[in-house]
Amino acid sequence: MATTRRSLPLLRTLIAGKTQTRTVTYMPRPGDGAPRPVTLIPGDGIGPLVTNAVEQVMEAMHAPVYFEKYDIHGDMKRVPQEVLDSIKKNKVCLKGGLRTPMGGGVSSLNMQLRKELDLYASLVNCCNFPGLPTRHENVDIVVIRENTEGEYSGLEHEVVPGVVESLKVITKFCSERIAKYAFEYAYLNNRKKVTAVHKANIMKLADGLFLESCREVATKYPSIKYNEIIVDNCCMQLVSKPEQFDVMVTPNLYGNLVANTAAGIAGGTGVMPGGNVGAEYAVFEQGASAGNVGKEKIVEQKTANPVALLLSSAMMLRHLQFPSFADRLESAVKRVISEGQYRTKDLGGQSSTQEVVDAVIAKLD
């Protein structure tokens, strides 16, 4: 009897220890741990600084990826074929910003990549971070933008001297597939609402077709609330009550404006992750385009904020089905932001890029 009484505390300890063990959150298939190749494009401006930050963190946590690096720049006329071949082989790319020349007839390499790889959906996640003060709280917006047509079709010509015509192209096919992606994203990520952004009161045929496509897709997802908002009212609502938005689906140009506005509200473009995805390929980069190349002074002083691309690389790790590595990276970045000791100037600090990287590496579990 005495032996039984002495055994009970030991038994309770063993049971308690068992309940505290880590649960199985992801069961890999055999071979899933093999290192995956990723095409890396450092790009222009701050690009080499922030992509190097990702390389350092990946190496520090022994992530099962390795990079095939290509040196291309925004002033090139075309994306080299070897770069396209690498992305098509690897299926995944991580890139810094590519500077787009203003005018001069040089097309954007970013647009070339999206069209060549049919990366029809751009996704930017704009949310508050604990410890980073902003004007609004409870902001958690995902902007999903059609990436291949609209005003970005690049169909411009001079009709007569002094008169330029620029065509906005909207198709049923592209509108339907971006709407399907937005609703599928909301469904798979337990999101409650999808808002379509438009200007159909003026562009009745073009934006009217976009809305028609969204409405048709919405009927197939009865559990997700659907509403519509005119783009100018959307901008006003974003800066006054951003917490009302959940998932937003937009044509090309509006999405760029909305994503950058939402990023500014939630903490700045330097902390917002994003990516571009199609049926076969995915390219991950800083979510909001504003500031993704940066000013020369930031490059010289090496004070670029690496957070956005680090979080984008966590998205990439999830895409590659390495969720525990993604969680470790995301948690480390958020802990550094929350503690506030190491922040670049855009977040109110004085740290260099390398100091932030070192702090993130120190926080890796």
Side-chain angles (χ1 to χ4, degrees):
M1 195 70 173
T3 307
T4 305
R5 285 197 199 99
R6 283 198 299 272
S7 300
L8 281 172
L10 178 62
L11 188 60
R12 289 192 191 105
T13 305
L14 287 169
I15 292 169
K18 266 192 174 180
T19 58
Q20 289 170 10
T21 57
R22 184 176 294 173
T23 56
V24 176
T25 54
Y26 170 65
M27 187 172 74
R29 295 163 298 187
D32 272 1
R36 292 282 303 274
V38 173
T39 305
L40 179 66
I41 301 173
D44 297 312
I46 65 170
L49 270 175
V50 293
T51 53
N52 178 255
V54 172
E55 287 183 277
Q56 290 184 59
V57 174
M58 291 289 180
E59 185 178 349
M61 64 178 184
H62 306 290
V65 297
Y66 61 93
F67 294 106
E68 295 178 0
K69 193 183 296 188
Y70 291 90
D71 190 27
I72 71 170
H73 301 281
D75 57 2
M76 292 179 172
K77 290 185 178 179
R78 289 202 58 78
V79 178
Q81 188 59 46
E82 62 177 343
V83 177
L84 293 172
D85 291 342
S86 174
I87 299 173
K88 288 176 180 178
K89 173 177 68 74
N90 298 332
K91 309 292 185 185
V92 176
C93 173
L94 182 73
K95 67 179 280 290
L98 289 170
R99 187 176 280 108
T100 301
M102 301 292 181
V106 178
S107 65
S108 163
L109 293 195
N110 294 304
M111 280 303 302
Q112 284 183 32
L113 274 173
R114 291 168 197 163
K115 288 186 176 181
E116 193 76 35
L117 302 170
D118 198 23
L119 304 170
Y120 66 85
S122 164
L123 186 148
V124 182
N125 187 197
C126 303
C127 60
N128 293 128
F129 290 89
L132 186 61
T134 57
R135 189 180 295 261
H136 297 280
E137 295 180 355
N138 302 315
V139 178
D140 187 6
I141 302 169
V142 173
V143 182
I144 293 175
R145 159 193 174 197
E146 205 293 316
N147 228 1
T148 59
E149 58 176 19
E151 294 86 350
Y152 285 56
S153 300
L155 300 174
E156 295 183 312
H157 65 279
E158 190 173 43
V159 182
V160 295
V163 179
V164 172
E165 186 174 58
S166 180
L167 300 179
K168 170 177 176 171
V169 177
I170 297 285
T171 64
K172 178 83 169 173
F173 173 78
C174 289
S175 298
E176 271 188 354
R177 69 177 181 173
I178 195 65
K180 285 176 183 174
Y181 184 81
F183 276 93
E184 188 176 63
Y185 177 90
Y187 173 67
L188 293 174
N189 288 277
N190 195 29
R191 296 278 182 159
K192 307 303 181 187
K193 182 171 69 171
V194 172
T195 302
V197 182
H198 68 95
K199 191 65 178 171
N201 58 325
I202 303 298
M203 284 168 274
K204 300 180 187 297
L205 291 178
D207 285 21
L209 178 59
F210 176 78
L211 282 186
E212 179 188 307
S213 302
C214 290
R215 289 167 187 166
E216 285 178 11
V217 174
T219 61
K220 298 171 184 176
Y221 291 86
S223 63
I224 297 170
K225 186 180 177 183
Y226 170 70
N227 67 346
E228 299 165 357
I229 189 167
I230 295 172
V231 65
D232 37 1
N233 182 32
C234 173
C235 293
M236 188 273 287
Q237 295 290 336
L238 268 174
V239 298
S240 57
K241 293 189 290 183
E243 63 279 357
Q244 69 184 288
F245 296 108
D246 191 354
V247 175
M248 306 176 79
V249 59
T250 78
N252 208 331
L253 177 62
Y254 309 154
N256 196 14
L257 305 177
V258 167
N260 280 277
T261 303
I265 289 163
T269 58
V271 293
M272 300 303 153
N276 306 281
V277 68
E280 294 187 70
Y281 314 110
V283 175
F284 295 88
E285 59 187 333
Q286 179 174 313
S289 60
N292 68 348
V293 173
K295 297 176 182 176
E296 285 184 21
K297 189 176 180 182
I298 295 174
V299 179
E300 289 168 4
Q301 295 177 344
K302 298 185 178 180
T303 55
N305 191 345
V307 167
L309 201 65
L310 286 170
L311 293 174
S312 296
S313 64
M315 287 174 61
M316 180 189 76
L317 288 169
R318 285 201 183 90
H319 179 79
L320 291 169
Q321 297 186 326
F322 298 133
S324 64
F325 287 93
D327 291 344
R328 286 174 61 202
L329 174 53
E330 212 166 69
S331 296
V333 170
K334 288 179 178 178
R335 284 169 66 187
V336 170
I337 292 174
S338 178
E339 291 176 8
Q341 186 177 354
Y342 296 99
R343 290 181 181 172
T344 48
K345 194 172 183 180
D346 59 311
L347 300 183
Q350 295 296 325
S351 301
S352 67
T353 305
Q354 190 58 51
E355 286 171 335
V356 175
V357 172
D358 291 340
V360 170
I361 290 171
K363 296 294 180 186
L364 288 170
D365 289 330

Short mmCIF file of all heavy atoms in Angstrom, two decimals, residues 221-279:
data_model
loop_
_atom_site.label_atom_id
_atom_site.label_comp_id
_atom_site.label_asym_id
_atom_site.label_seq_id
_atom_site.Cartn_x
_atom_site.Cartn_y
_atom_site.Cartn_z
N TYR A 221 -19.48 30.28 -52.57
CA TYR A 221 -18.90 30.30 -51.22
C TYR A 221 -19.89 30.97 -50.26
O TYR A 221 -19.66 32.10 -49.79
CB TYR A 221 -17.57 31.06 -51.23
CG TYR A 221 -16.47 30.36 -51.98
CD1 TYR A 221 -16.33 30.52 -53.37
CD2 TYR A 221 -15.56 29.52 -51.34
CE1 TYR A 221 -15.33 29.87 -54.07
CE2 TYR A 221 -14.55 28.87 -52.02
CZ TYR A 221 -14.45 29.04 -53.39
OH TYR A 221 -13.44 28.40 -54.08
N PRO A 222 -20.99 30.30 -49.94
CA PRO A 222 -22.03 30.91 -49.11
C PRO A 222 -21.58 31.24 -47.69
O PRO A 222 -22.19 32.10 -47.03
CB PRO A 222 -23.14 29.84 -49.09
CG PRO A 222 -22.45 28.55 -49.43
CD PRO A 222 -21.34 28.92 -50.36
N SER A 223 -20.53 30.60 -47.20
CA SER A 223 -20.06 30.86 -45.83
C SER A 223 -19.23 32.13 -45.72
O SER A 223 -18.90 32.58 -44.61
CB SER A 223 -19.25 29.67 -45.32
OG SER A 223 -18.08 29.49 -46.12
N ILE A 224 -18.85 32.71 -46.87
CA ILE A 224 -18.01 33.92 -46.88
C ILE A 224 -18.86 35.13 -47.32
O ILE A 224 -19.49 35.10 -48.38
CB ILE A 224 -16.80 33.74 -47.81
CG1 ILE A 224 -15.92 32.59 -47.29
CG2 ILE A 224 -15.98 35.02 -47.91
CD1 ILE A 224 -14.83 32.17 -48.25
N LYS A 225 -18.85 36.15 -46.49
CA LYS A 225 -19.59 37.37 -46.82
C LYS A 225 -18.92 38.09 -47.98
O LYS A 225 -17.69 38.16 -48.05
CB LYS A 225 -19.64 38.28 -45.60
CG LYS A 225 -20.50 39.52 -45.80
CD LYS A 225 -20.51 40.38 -44.55
CE LYS A 225 -21.33 41.66 -44.80
NZ LYS A 225 -21.30 42.56 -43.60
N TYR A 226 -19.72 38.61 -48.90
CA TYR A 226 -19.17 39.33 -50.06
C TYR A 226 -19.77 40.72 -50.13
O TYR A 226 -20.98 40.90 -49.96
CB TYR A 226 -19.49 38.56 -51.35
CG TYR A 226 -19.19 39.34 -52.62
CD1 TYR A 226 -17.88 39.60 -52.99
CD2 TYR A 226 -20.21 39.84 -53.42
CE1 TYR A 226 -17.59 40.32 -54.13
CE2 TYR A 226 -19.94 40.55 -54.58
CZ TYR A 226 -18.63 40.79 -54.93
OH TYR A 226 -18.34 41.51 -56.07
N ASN A 227 -18.93 41.72 -50.35
CA ASN A 227 -19.44 43.07 -50.60
C ASN A 227 -18.55 43.79 -51.61
O ASN A 227 -17.50 43.27 -52.02
CB ASN A 227 -19.58 43.87 -49.30
CG ASN A 227 -18.24 44.18 -48.65
OD1 ASN A 227 -17.21 43.60 -48.99
ND2 ASN A 227 -18.24 45.10 -47.70
N GLU A 228 -18.98 44.95 -52.04
CA GLU A 228 -18.27 45.72 -53.07
C GLU A 228 -18.09 47.15 -52.60
O GLU A 228 -18.92 47.69 -51.84
CB GLU A 228 -19.09 45.71 -54.37
CG GLU A 228 -19.29 44.31 -54.93
CD GLU A 228 -20.37 44.21 -56.01
OE1 GLU A 228 -21.03 45.24 -56.30
OE2 GLU A 228 -20.56 43.10 -56.54
N ILE A 229 -17.01 47.78 -53.06
CA ILE A 229 -16.76 49.18 -52.68
C ILE A 229 -16.07 49.90 -53.83
O ILE A 229 -15.18 49.34 -54.49
CB ILE A 229 -15.91 49.24 -51.38
CG1 ILE A 229 -15.83 50.68 -50.86
CG2 ILE A 229 -14.52 48.65 -51.58
CD1 ILE A 229 -15.28 50.78 -49.43
N ILE A 230 -16.50 51.13 -54.10
CA ILE A 230 -15.88 51.96 -55.14
C ILE A 230 -14.50 52.39 -54.66
O ILE A 230 -14.31 52.71 -53.47
CB ILE A 230 -16.77 53.17 -55.47
CG1 ILE A 230 -18.09 52.68 -56.07
CG2 ILE A 230 -16.08 54.13 -56.43
CD1 ILE A 230 -19.13 53.76 -56.27
N VAL A 231 -13.52 52.41 -55.54
CA VAL A 231 -12.12 52.56 -55.14
C VAL A 231 -11.85 53.87 -54.39
O VAL A 231 -11.04 53.88 -53.45
CB VAL A 231 -11.18 52.41 -56.37
CG1 VAL A 231 -11.38 53.53 -57.39
CG2 VAL A 231 -9.73 52.33 -55.92
N ASP A 232 -12.50 54.98 -54.76
CA ASP A 232 -12.23 56.23 -54.05
C ASP A 232 -12.78 56.18 -52.62
O ASP A 232 -12.12 56.61 -51.67
CB ASP A 232 -12.74 57.45 -54.81
CG ASP A 232 -14.06 57.21 -55.53
OD1 ASP A 232 -14.59 56.09 -55.43
OD2 ASP A 232 -14.55 58.13 -56.19
N ASN A 233 -13.98 55.62 -52.45
CA ASN A 233 -14.52 55.42 -51.10
C ASN A 233 -13.66 54.43 -50.33
O ASN A 233 -13.45 54.58 -49.12
CB ASN A 233 -15.97 54.92 -51.20
CG ASN A 233 -16.61 54.75 -49.84
OD1 ASN A 233 -16.30 55.47 -48.89
ND2 ASN A 233 -17.50 53.78 -49.71
N CYS A 234 -13.13 53.43 -51.02
CA CYS A 234 -12.26 52.44 -50.39
C CYS A 234 -11.04 53.09 -49.75
O CYS A 234 -10.68 52.78 -48.61
CB CYS A 234 -11.82 51.41 -51.44
SG CYS A 234 -10.60 50.23 -50.84
N CYS A 235 -10.41 54.02 -50.47
CA CYS A 235 -9.23 54.71 -49.93
C CYS A 235 -9.58 55.51 -48.68
O CYS A 235 -8.83 55.51 -47.70
CB CYS A 235 -8.62 55.61 -51.00
SG CYS A 235 -7.91 54.69 -52.38
N MET A 236 -10.73 56.18 -48.73
CA MET A 236 -11.17 56.96 -47.57
C MET A 236 -11.46 56.05 -46.38
O MET A 236 -11.05 56.32 -45.24
CB MET A 236 -12.42 57.77 -47.93
CG MET A 236 -12.87 58.77 -46.86
SD MET A 236 -13.95 58.06 -45.61
CE MET A 236 -15.45 57.87 -46.55
N GLN A 237 -12.15 54.91 -46.64
CA GLN A 237 -12.46 53.98 -45.56
C GLN A 237 -11.20 53.33 -45.00
O GLN A 237 -11.11 53.05 -43.79
CB GLN A 237 -13.41 52.88 -46.08
CG GLN A 237 -14.78 53.37 -46.50
CD GLN A 237 -15.63 53.80 -45.32
OE1 GLN A 237 -15.42 53.36 -44.19
NE2 GLN A 237 -16.57 54.69 -45.55
N LEU A 238 -10.22 53.08 -45.85
CA LEU A 238 -8.96 52.48 -45.39
C LEU A 238 -8.25 53.35 -44.36
O LEU A 238 -7.71 52.85 -43.38
CB LEU A 238 -8.01 52.24 -46.58
CG LEU A 238 -8.07 50.88 -47.27
CD1 LEU A 238 -7.17 50.88 -48.50
CD2 LEU A 238 -7.66 49.74 -46.33
N VAL A 239 -8.21 54.66 -44.60
CA VAL A 239 -7.48 55.54 -43.68
C VAL A 239 -8.32 55.93 -42.47
O VAL A 239 -7.78 56.46 -41.49
CB VAL A 239 -6.96 56.81 -44.40
CG1 VAL A 239 -5.98 56.44 -45.49
CG2 VAL A 239 -8.10 57.65 -44.96
N SER A 240 -9.63 55.65 -42.49
CA SER A 240 -10.47 55.99 -41.34
C SER A 240 -10.87 54.77 -40.52
O SER A 240 -10.82 54.80 -39.29
CB SER A 240 -11.73 56.75 -41.79
OG SER A 240 -12.46 55.99 -42.74
N LYS A 241 -11.27 53.67 -41.20
CA LYS A 241 -11.70 52.45 -40.48
C LYS A 241 -11.15 51.20 -41.17
O LYS A 241 -11.90 50.39 -41.71
CB LYS A 241 -13.21 52.39 -40.40
CG LYS A 241 -13.85 53.47 -39.54
CD LYS A 241 -15.34 53.22 -39.33
CE LYS A 241 -16.10 53.45 -40.63
NZ LYS A 241 -17.57 53.29 -40.44
N PRO A 242 -9.84 51.00 -41.17
CA PRO A 242 -9.25 49.87 -41.90
C PRO A 242 -9.63 48.51 -41.32
O PRO A 242 -9.59 47.50 -42.02
CB PRO A 242 -7.74 50.11 -41.78
CG PRO A 242 -7.59 50.92 -40.54
CD PRO A 242 -8.81 51.80 -40.49
N GLU A 243 -10.01 48.48 -40.03
CA GLU A 243 -10.32 47.19 -39.39
C GLU A 243 -11.56 46.52 -39.98
O GLU A 243 -11.81 45.33 -39.74
CB GLU A 243 -10.49 47.37 -37.87
CG GLU A 243 -11.63 48.27 -37.44
CD GLU A 243 -11.32 49.77 -37.51
OE1 GLU A 243 -10.17 50.13 -37.84
OE2 GLU A 243 -12.23 50.56 -37.23
N GLN A 244 -12.34 47.25 -40.78
CA GLN A 244 -13.55 46.67 -41.38
C GLN A 244 -13.23 45.73 -42.54
O GLN A 244 -14.07 44.93 -42.94
CB GLN A 244 -14.48 47.78 -41.89
CG GLN A 244 -13.94 48.54 -43.09
CD GLN A 244 -14.82 49.68 -43.53
OE1 GLN A 244 -15.89 49.46 -44.09
NE2 GLN A 244 -14.39 50.90 -43.25
N PHE A 245 -12.01 45.80 -43.07
CA PHE A 245 -11.65 44.99 -44.24
C PHE A 245 -10.96 43.70 -43.83
O PHE A 245 -10.24 43.63 -42.85
CB PHE A 245 -10.74 45.79 -45.18
CG PHE A 245 -11.41 47.01 -45.77
CD1 PHE A 245 -11.06 48.29 -45.36
CD2 PHE A 245 -12.40 46.87 -46.74
CE1 PHE A 245 -11.67 49.40 -45.90
CE2 PHE A 245 -13.02 47.98 -47.28
CZ PHE A 245 -12.66 49.25 -46.86
N ASP A 246 -11.17 42.68 -44.65
CA ASP A 246 -10.58 41.37 -44.41
C ASP A 246 -9.76 40.98 -45.64
O ASP A 246 -8.59 41.32 -45.75
CB ASP A 246 -11.70 40.37 -44.12
CG ASP A 246 -11.20 39.04 -43.59
OD1 ASP A 246 -9.97 38.83 -43.56
OD2 ASP A 246 -12.02 38.19 -43.22
N VAL A 247 -10.37 40.29 -46.61
CA VAL A 247 -9.72 40.01 -47.90
C VAL A 247 -10.28 40.99 -48.93
O VAL A 247 -11.50 41.20 -49.00
CB VAL A 247 -9.97 38.56 -48.35
CG1 VAL A 247 -9.40 38.33 -49.75
CG2 VAL A 247 -9.35 37.58 -47.36
N MET A 248 -9.40 41.60 -49.71
CA MET A 248 -9.83 42.53 -50.75
C MET A 248 -9.35 42.00 -52.10
O MET A 248 -8.18 41.63 -52.23
CB MET A 248 -9.26 43.93 -50.50
CG MET A 248 -9.57 44.46 -49.10
SD MET A 248 -8.81 46.06 -48.76
CE MET A 248 -9.94 47.15 -49.61
N VAL A 249 -10.23 41.97 -53.09
CA VAL A 249 -9.85 41.51 -54.42
C VAL A 249 -10.02 42.68 -55.39
O VAL A 249 -11.04 43.37 -55.37
CB VAL A 249 -10.67 40.27 -54.86
CG1 VAL A 249 -12.17 40.55 -54.89
CG2 VAL A 249 -10.18 39.74 -56.19
N THR A 250 -9.00 42.91 -56.22
CA THR A 250 -8.98 44.13 -57.03
C THR A 250 -8.42 43.88 -58.42
O THR A 250 -7.62 42.97 -58.62
CB THR A 250 -8.08 45.21 -56.37
OG1 THR A 250 -6.71 44.89 -56.62
CG2 THR A 250 -8.30 45.31 -54.87
N PRO A 251 -8.81 44.73 -59.37
CA PRO A 251 -8.07 44.76 -60.65
C PRO A 251 -6.66 45.29 -60.41
O PRO A 251 -6.32 45.72 -59.29
CB PRO A 251 -8.90 45.72 -61.52
CG PRO A 251 -10.22 45.85 -60.83
CD PRO A 251 -9.95 45.65 -59.38
N ASN A 252 -5.85 45.33 -61.46
CA ASN A 252 -4.42 45.56 -61.33
C ASN A 252 -4.04 46.89 -60.67
O ASN A 252 -3.38 46.92 -59.63
CB ASN A 252 -3.76 45.44 -62.71
CG ASN A 252 -2.33 44.97 -62.63
OD1 ASN A 252 -1.64 45.23 -61.66
ND2 ASN A 252 -1.87 44.29 -63.66
N LEU A 253 -4.42 48.00 -61.27
CA LEU A 253 -3.98 49.30 -60.78
C LEU A 253 -4.52 49.59 -59.38
O LEU A 253 -3.78 50.02 -58.50
CB LEU A 253 -4.42 50.41 -61.74
CG LEU A 253 -4.08 51.84 -61.30
CD1 LEU A 253 -2.57 52.03 -61.18
CD2 LEU A 253 -4.66 52.86 -62.28
N TYR A 254 -5.82 49.35 -59.16
CA TYR A 254 -6.39 49.64 -57.84
C TYR A 254 -5.67 48.86 -56.75
O TYR A 254 -5.45 49.36 -55.64
CB TYR A 254 -7.89 49.30 -57.79
CG TYR A 254 -8.73 49.86 -58.91
CD1 TYR A 254 -9.91 49.23 -59.28
CD2 TYR A 254 -8.37 51.02 -59.59
CE1 TYR A 254 -10.70 49.72 -60.31
CE2 TYR A 254 -9.14 51.52 -60.63
CZ TYR A 254 -10.31 50.86 -60.99
OH TYR A 254 -11.08 51.35 -62.00
N GLY A 255 -5.31 47.62 -57.07
CA GLY A 255 -4.65 46.78 -56.08
C GLY A 255 -3.32 47.33 -55.63
O GLY A 255 -2.96 47.24 -54.45
N ASN A 256 -2.58 47.92 -56.56
CA ASN A 256 -1.29 48.52 -56.21
C ASN A 256 -1.49 49.69 -55.25
O ASN A 256 -0.77 49.82 -54.25
CB ASN A 256 -0.59 48.99 -57.49
CG ASN A 256 0.89 49.26 -57.28
OD1 ASN A 256 1.47 48.88 -56.27
ND2 ASN A 256 1.51 49.94 -58.22
N LEU A 257 -2.49 50.52 -55.53
CA LEU A 257 -2.78 51.68 -54.67
C LEU A 257 -3.29 51.24 -53.31
O LEU A 257 -2.84 51.74 -52.27
CB LEU A 257 -3.81 52.59 -55.35
CG LEU A 257 -3.47 53.08 -56.77
CD1 LEU A 257 -4.61 53.90 -57.34
CD2 LEU A 257 -2.19 53.90 -56.76
N VAL A 258 -4.22 50.30 -53.31
CA VAL A 258 -4.82 49.82 -52.05
C VAL A 258 -3.79 49.14 -51.18
O VAL A 258 -3.72 49.36 -49.96
CB VAL A 258 -6.01 48.88 -52.35
CG1 VAL A 258 -6.45 48.13 -51.10
CG2 VAL A 258 -7.18 49.67 -52.93
N ALA A 259 -2.94 48.28 -51.77
CA ALA A 259 -1.94 47.54 -50.99
C ALA A 259 -0.93 48.48 -50.34
O ALA A 259 -0.57 48.29 -49.16
CB ALA A 259 -1.23 46.53 -51.89
N ASN A 260 -0.47 49.48 -51.07
CA ASN A 260 0.50 50.41 -50.50
C ASN A 260 -0.13 51.29 -49.42
O ASN A 260 0.51 51.61 -48.42
CB ASN A 260 1.12 51.27 -51.61
CG ASN A 260 2.21 50.54 -52.36
OD1 ASN A 260 3.35 50.49 -51.93
ND2 ASN A 260 1.86 49.94 -53.49
N THR A 261 -1.40 51.66 -49.62
CA THR A 261 -2.11 52.45 -48.60
C THR A 261 -2.29 51.62 -47.33
O THR A 261 -2.02 52.09 -46.22
CB THR A 261 -3.48 52.90 -49.12
OG1 THR A 261 -3.31 53.65 -50.33
CG2 THR A 261 -4.20 53.77 -48.10
N ALA A 262 -2.75 50.39 -47.48
CA ALA A 262 -2.96 49.50 -46.33
C ALA A 262 -1.65 49.23 -45.61
O ALA A 262 -1.61 49.18 -44.37
CB ALA A 262 -3.60 48.20 -46.79
N ALA A 263 -0.57 49.08 -46.37
CA ALA A 263 0.75 48.84 -45.75
C ALA A 263 1.17 50.04 -44.91
O ALA A 263 1.67 49.88 -43.79
CB ALA A 263 1.78 48.55 -46.84
N GLY A 264 0.96 51.24 -45.44
CA GLY A 264 1.32 52.45 -44.69
C GLY A 264 0.54 52.58 -43.40
O GLY A 264 1.07 53.01 -42.37
N ILE A 265 -0.72 52.16 -43.43
CA ILE A 265 -1.58 52.24 -42.25
C ILE A 265 -1.15 51.24 -41.18
O ILE A 265 -1.16 51.52 -39.99
CB ILE A 265 -3.06 51.98 -42.66
CG1 ILE A 265 -3.59 53.16 -43.47
CG2 ILE A 265 -3.94 51.70 -41.45
CD1 ILE A 265 -4.84 52.85 -44.24
N ALA A 266 -0.74 50.05 -41.62
CA ALA A 266 -0.46 48.96 -40.69
C ALA A 266 0.95 48.97 -40.10
O ALA A 266 1.25 48.18 -39.22
CB ALA A 266 -0.72 47.62 -41.37
N GLY A 267 1.83 49.84 -40.59
CA GLY A 267 3.18 49.88 -40.01
C GLY A 267 4.27 50.23 -41.00
O GLY A 267 5.43 50.36 -40.62
N GLY A 268 3.93 50.33 -42.29
CA GLY A 268 4.93 50.72 -43.28
C GLY A 268 5.27 49.60 -44.24
O GLY A 268 5.11 48.42 -43.93
N THR A 269 5.74 49.99 -45.42
CA THR A 269 6.04 49.00 -46.45
C THR A 269 7.22 48.11 -46.08
O THR A 269 7.37 47.03 -46.63
CB THR A 269 6.35 49.71 -47.79
OG1 THR A 269 7.47 50.60 -47.61
CG2 THR A 269 5.16 50.51 -48.29
N GLY A 270 8.03 48.54 -45.14
CA GLY A 270 9.21 47.77 -44.75
C GLY A 270 8.92 46.53 -43.93
O GLY A 270 9.82 45.75 -43.64
N VAL A 271 7.64 46.34 -43.54
CA VAL A 271 7.31 45.17 -42.72
C VAL A 271 6.20 44.31 -43.33
O VAL A 271 5.74 43.35 -42.70
CB VAL A 271 6.89 45.57 -41.28
CG1 VAL A 271 8.08 46.15 -40.53
CG2 VAL A 271 5.74 46.55 -41.29
N MET A 272 5.78 44.63 -44.57
CA MET A 272 4.66 43.90 -45.16
C MET A 272 5.13 42.87 -46.19
O MET A 272 5.74 43.22 -47.21
CB MET A 272 3.69 44.89 -45.84
CG MET A 272 3.10 45.91 -44.88
SD MET A 272 2.24 45.14 -43.48
CE MET A 272 2.42 46.42 -42.25
N PRO A 273 4.86 41.60 -45.94
CA PRO A 273 5.29 40.54 -46.87
C PRO A 273 4.32 40.38 -48.03
O PRO A 273 3.17 40.84 -47.98
CB PRO A 273 5.27 39.29 -45.99
CG PRO A 273 4.16 39.55 -45.01
CD PRO A 273 4.19 41.04 -44.75
N GLY A 274 4.79 39.70 -49.08
CA GLY A 274 3.90 39.45 -50.21
C GLY A 274 4.52 38.50 -51.21
O GLY A 274 5.65 38.03 -51.05
N GLY A 275 3.76 38.21 -52.22
CA GLY A 275 4.24 37.31 -53.27
C GLY A 275 3.32 37.34 -54.46
O GLY A 275 2.22 37.93 -54.42
N ASN A 276 3.78 36.73 -55.53
CA ASN A 276 2.99 36.61 -56.76
C ASN A 276 2.93 35.13 -57.12
O ASN A 276 3.95 34.43 -57.11
CB ASN A 276 3.67 37.37 -57.91
CG ASN A 276 3.95 38.82 -57.55
OD1 ASN A 276 3.07 39.66 -57.57
ND2 ASN A 276 5.20 39.10 -57.17
N VAL A 277 1.73 34.66 -57.44
CA VAL A 277 1.58 33.23 -57.67
C VAL A 277 0.70 32.96 -58.89
O VAL A 277 -0.20 33.73 -59.21
CB VAL A 277 0.98 32.55 -56.40
CG1 VAL A 277 -0.46 32.99 -56.17
CG2 VAL A 277 1.07 31.05 -56.48
N GLY A 278 1.02 31.87 -59.58
CA GLY A 278 0.21 31.40 -60.69
C GLY A 278 -0.03 29.92 -60.52
O GLY A 278 0.23 29.34 -59.45
N ALA A 279 -0.51 29.29 -61.55
CA ALA A 279 -0.82 27.86 -61.48
C ALA A 279 0.43 27.01 -61.25
O ALA A 279 0.36 25.96 -60.62
CB ALA A 279 -1.54 27.42 -62.75
#
